[in-house]
Amino acid sequence: MNTAHMQTIAGQTFSADVQARFDRELAKYPADQKQSAVIACLAIVQQTQGHVSPESEKGVALYLGMPVMAVHEVSTFYNMFNLKAVGRYKINVCTNLPCQLRGGQKALHHLSEKLQVKVGATTADGMFTLQPAECMGACADAPVLLVNDRSMCSYMSDDKLDLLIDGLRLAVKESS
Amino acid sequence: MNINQVLAQFQTSGKQTSFHDRHLQPQIFADLNGKNWHLKDYEARGGYQALRSILGMHGAEGLTQDQVIASIKESGLRGRGGAGFPTGLKWSFMPRQFPGQKYLVCNSDEGEPGTCKDRDILEFNPHIVIEGMAIAAYAMGISVGYNYIHGEIFQTYDRFEAALEEARAAGYLGDNIMGSAFNFQLHAAHGFGAYICGEETALIESLEGKKGQPRFKPPFPASFGVYGKPTTINNTETFAAVPWIIRNGGPAYLACGKPNNGGTKIFSVSGDVELPGNYEIPMGTSFATLLELAGGVRAGGKLKAVIPGGSSAPVLPGSVMMDTTMDFDAIAKAGSMLGSGAVIVLDDSRCMVKSLQRLSAFYMHESCGQCTPCREGTGWLWRIVDRLENGQGKATDMDLLDSVAENIMGRTICALGDASAMPVRGMLKHFRPEFEHHITHKTCMVAAYT
């Protein structure tokens, strides 16, 4: 199959900016090993679209010249991929043992109360999705959480959790 | 405040974890302040001198590949990722006359519960890893490398990419490094949430764009690694130790630790201590000293137990730990393992059943599902510990736990199976009465557990 042709089709799914970011990842690997960039490309898709949809899996498959099922295997294997739409802010709180010893579970509970949302669910206004998470390699910073995969927040006491949620709500309000 | 400003308030500065005066003879964390991670700062600390010296700059004679490997062997450096395999020996396994492409990989998939050292190295001293990798690449005749960084630390990933740009611009990476015939291209790659990718062959699969399911060994990566080519994988901290060894010599590194356990090691201390953080200290320092550096047990508590090398290491009673030193051999002798140097401290308010319940849930969640004993066994272990914790344990559960753990160990492709069984066996060996109490009384022995 003609790779350039496939990229043209896939290009209809992704903006020029996103394609430029894909290409930057692709440049790291040998020309016949494009599949190596699949995690990075899917992470970029998630960052720009909020989650990885079947359509975007197809687009990434075309872009990288790999079977759609091979892309789906990756998106279903790695924990951080959202296969369904999530709230504007996905909050993952580490609850593994080192964090549990320093209030990780308590932080998750505090957020659940404050947001009036069950763990694993999204608030009614679509603003926050709250999830427990496994070790993030930041054990001495506990309680620790991740906002939208890319922003780690450390030493999250109850006061700071309130500041974070109120701050995000206000920032969204001001920007709209 | 805009959204980024809101989030930035909660980003760690690294001050508590790594910029303090409680390291002993630091090599990797020496003179860091969080801001001086740039190339020019690293050069001011003596950075890239080791690479220049092996390449033979300014008419001086460089080092041969054999000389570099001999120096690493002499240093007694052992892998900092968990297994403690001698680094120089690993490097000597690489076929140096191989005609095709070979690869060098840095394992920064730091996800062993308790560990947070590689993050701080990459974030606050990224060039030390780049220089260490370049030296390794030179020694093994490798021209392409990847640093695989776990997906939870994107800020660190971005920092490392920025450092790579600086190193390329200065001619420390790329073609004809420092005017020599040595070429080395180094790239950063990231994962997206899978503990198993810290296993070296799972990491290779992930780097190839697949599910992170470990491969059978042999063949080992040295003969069949990334894209089927000879590959060497070392941990971030291992590479970070290399420049110091080249600058100061193998014997000096060995002298800093103790025989067979050369150099300094960064311990991530977490849990019930006053000052959780990273502590770089010579191998062979006593645990009592490390605990003191970390501010001692959290106020009001007494030392109960320590998981000395990350969650996969068997737990040891506090009294045993107080008599041991922090190095591979001493911790092994005490009945556990140094692992990645993640020291999880538990005080006397902690219930060991509840602690094990959380760890067992983790291994069940992270089992890749490839081998039946691990896929089924990790769930089985969790269900038993979970019912013990919830007062529904049966008298036969103790033997059952033992038997399931026994039947996982040694029967899986990778070490995750063993890693799920070892904490169970450690807990039963040292804290059996707590488990029995849960069965007999349906309640916890440790009333104060929160």
Side-chain angles (χ1 to χ4, degrees):
Chain A
M1 279 213 273
N2 182 324
T3 318
H5 174 63
M6 290 197 303
Q7 288 193 5
T8 313
I9 299 171
Q12 293 166 5
T13 320
F14 306 112
S15 68
D17 175 51
V18 165
Q19 287 185 60
R21 291 179 66 190
F22 283 3
D23 291 343
R24 200 172 159 273
E25 296 300 326
L26 275 168
K28 297 174 181 176
Y29 306 100
D32 60 346
Q33 299 290 348
K34 287 183 178 179
Q35 179 167 347
S36 282
V38 66
I39 294 175
C41 291
L42 288 171
I44 292 166
V45 167
Q46 178 154 307
Q47 190 187 23
T48 52
Q49 302 181 2
H51 75 291
V52 175
S53 65
E55 293 73 35
S56 49
E57 282 181 352
K58 209 168 157 185
V60 168
L62 282 168
Y63 206 85
L64 301 181
M66 60 192 279
V68 183
M69 186 45 73
V71 176
H72 191 59
E73 272 190 357
V74 167
S75 64
T76 50
F77 185 85
Y78 295 88
N79 296 321
M80 289 165 70
F81 287 118
N82 311 325
L83 299 178
K84 284 189 282 196
V86 293
R88 183 163 180 160
Y89 298 103
K90 179 179 73 167
I91 301 181
N92 282 40
V93 184
C94 179
T95 59
N96 207 304
L97 181 63
C99 274
Q100 178 174 287
L101 297 172
R102 300 190 75 85
Q105 196 71 46
K106 206 171 134 260
L108 182 68
H109 183 71
H110 182 84
L111 283 176
S112 172
E113 300 251 292
K114 180 169 176 72
L115 296 172
Q116 299 273 299
V117 69
K118 278 190 188 150
V119 173
T122 300
T123 52
D125 60 1
M127 196 70 139
F128 296 99
T129 298
L130 183 63
Q131 296 179 337
E134 292 299 351
C135 187
M136 299 169 182
C139 312
D141 298 7
V144 63
L145 58 84
L146 265 186
V147 178
N148 285 353
D149 310 318
R150 293 180 188 239
S151 301
M152 186 175 278
C153 301
S154 296
Y155 308 108
M156 297 307 283
S157 59
D158 289 356
D159 290 351
K160 285 191 177 177
L161 291 169
D162 292 344
L163 271 176
L164 171 70
I165 298 300
D166 298 342
L168 287 175
R169 277 194 171 132
L170 190 67
V172 168
K173 211 169 167 185
E174 281 173 358
S175 70
S176 61
Chain B
M1 279 195 283
N2 67 32
I3 288 151
N4 289 336
Q5 288 166 329
V6 172
L7 292 169
Q9 297 174 87
F10 307 104
Q11 191 180 341
T12 179
S13 65
K15 194 169 185 307
Q16 288 104 314
T17 48
S18 295
F19 314 135
H20 48 66
D21 56 4
R22 301 184 307 282
H23 302 295
L24 303 177
Q25 304 172 41
Q27 296 166 356
I28 296 170
F29 281 164
D31 305 318
L32 300 184
N33 63 19
K35 293 189 180 75
N36 57 3
W37 61 270
H38 287 285
L39 184 119
K40 59 176 173 25
D41 306 308
Y42 181 62
E43 284 178 325
R45 292 194 294 272
Y48 288 112
Q49 276 173 18
L51 180 62
R52 285 170 176 272
S53 74
I54 64 165
L55 293 177
M57 298 285 95
H58 310 300
E61 205 168 317
L63 294 183
T64 64
Q65 295 179 326
D66 285 326
Q67 284 172 320
V68 174
I69 293 178
S71 192
I72 300 299
K73 278 186 177 168
E74 225 177 2
S75 74
L77 173 64
R78 293 169 67 176
R80 301 310 198 220
F85 192 82
T87 305
L89 190 59
K90 190 185 248 189
W91 289 11
S92 69
F93 291 157
M94 274 297 262
R96 266 179 285 154
Q97 302 313 320
F98 184 79
Q101 185 66 55
K102 293 182 283 188
Y103 292 99
L104 184 68
V105 176
C106 177
N107 183 345
S108 302
D109 191 62
E110 183 177 49
E112 177 79 7
T115 325
C116 52
K117 63 186 176 70
D118 297 340
R119 174 193 65 164
D120 283 5
I121 298 173
L122 291 172
E123 179 115 12
F124 304 119
N125 205 5
H127 286 285
I128 203 170
V129 179
I130 296 172
E131 186 182 11
M133 289 189 76
I135 293 167
Y138 171 84
M140 291 177 275
I142 299 173
S143 62
V144 178
Y146 294 101
N147 184 7
Y148 184 100
I149 300 171
H150 69 91
E152 287 86 350
I153 49 171
F154 259 97
Q155 286 144 333
T156 308
Y157 176 76
D158 290 341
R159 167 67 54 85
F160 191 76
E161 290 245 67
L164 284 177
E165 286 299 331
E166 289 184 337
R168 286 177 194 131
Y172 291 122
L173 291 175
D175 290 336
N176 303 112
I177 293 173
M178 297 282 106
S180 71
F182 171 50
N183 306 328
F184 183 52
Q185 316 291 339
L186 179 57
H187 306 286
H190 69 77
F192 217 58
Y195 168 69
I196 189 64
C197 291
E199 200 278 342
E200 60 181 10
T201 60
L203 188 154
I204 291 172
E205 288 283 303
S206 184
L207 200 52
E208 294 181 358
K210 301 170 191 160
K211 291 186 287 187
Q213 291 193 320
R215 298 174 179 173
F216 266 116
K217 289 192 280 192
F220 290 94
S223 53
F224 191 91
V226 177
Y227 310 130
K229 305 295 184 195
T231 300
T232 291
I233 306 187
N234 286 123
N235 170 253
T236 319
E237 187 187 352
T238 311
F239 283 123
V242 168
W244 195 96
I245 295 170
I246 299 297
R247 280 208 307 274
N248 299 280
Y253 189 78
L254 185 60
C256 168
K258 69 182 234 190
N260 199 32
N261 296 267
T264 61
K265 169 89 191 80
I266 301 169
F267 293 97
S268 302
V269 185
S270 65
D272 295 319
V273 291
E274 280 292 331
L275 302 165
N278 289 314
Y279 297 90
E280 184 178 358
I281 56 177
M283 283 276 200
T285 304
S286 72
F287 170 74
T289 302
L290 176 62
L291 183 62
E292 203 183 310
L293 292 171
V297 178
R298 197 145 52 161
K302 250 179 65 189
L303 183 65
K304 177 175 183 175
V306 179
I307 302 175
S311 65
S312 312
V315 66
L316 291 173
S319 57
V320 173
M321 283 303 292
M322 290 306 277
D323 287 335
T324 191
T325 57
M326 299 304 292
D327 55 85
F328 290 108
D329 297 340
I331 299 285
K333 201 172 155 210
S336 187
M337 55 185 204
L338 192 74
S340 54
V343 179
I344 307 171
V345 176
L346 296 105
D347 72 17
D348 58 354
S349 71
R350 303 302 180 181
C351 166
M352 301 314 261
V353 183
K354 180 152 184 155
S355 300
L356 183 61
Q357 177 199 31
R358 185 62 190 87
L359 289 182
S360 295
F362 169 67
Y363 289 107
M364 174 176 68
H365 188 260
E366 298 297 333
S367 173
C368 82
Q370 191 173 205
C371 311
T372 308
C374 174
R375 182 184 64 242
E376 300 302 321
T378 51
W380 208 345
L381 288 176
W382 175 77
R383 285 191 298 276
I384 302 167
V385 181
D386 186 60
R387 70 178 179 240
L388 285 174
E389 169 62 16
N390 291 310
Q392 291 162 344
K394 303 171 194 162
T396 51
D397 278 349
M398 302 297 286
D399 290 341
L400 189 57
L401 267 182
D402 233 354
S403 148
V404 176
E406 171 75 32
N407 279 295
I408 296 173
M409 288 194 71
R411 290 180 168 83
T412 53
I413 289 174
C414 84
L416 193 142
D418 285 15
S420 73
M422 283 191 292
V424 173
R425 307 188 97 187
M427 287 286 188
L428 292 184
K429 182 174 169 195
H430 295 292
F431 298 97
R432 200 175 180 95
E434 271 189 52
F435 287 77
E436 288 169 345
H437 187 98
H438 270 255
I439 296 172
T440 322
H441 300 276
K442 314 285 180 208
T443 58
C444 186
M445 238 169 112
V446 189
Y449 188 83
T450 47

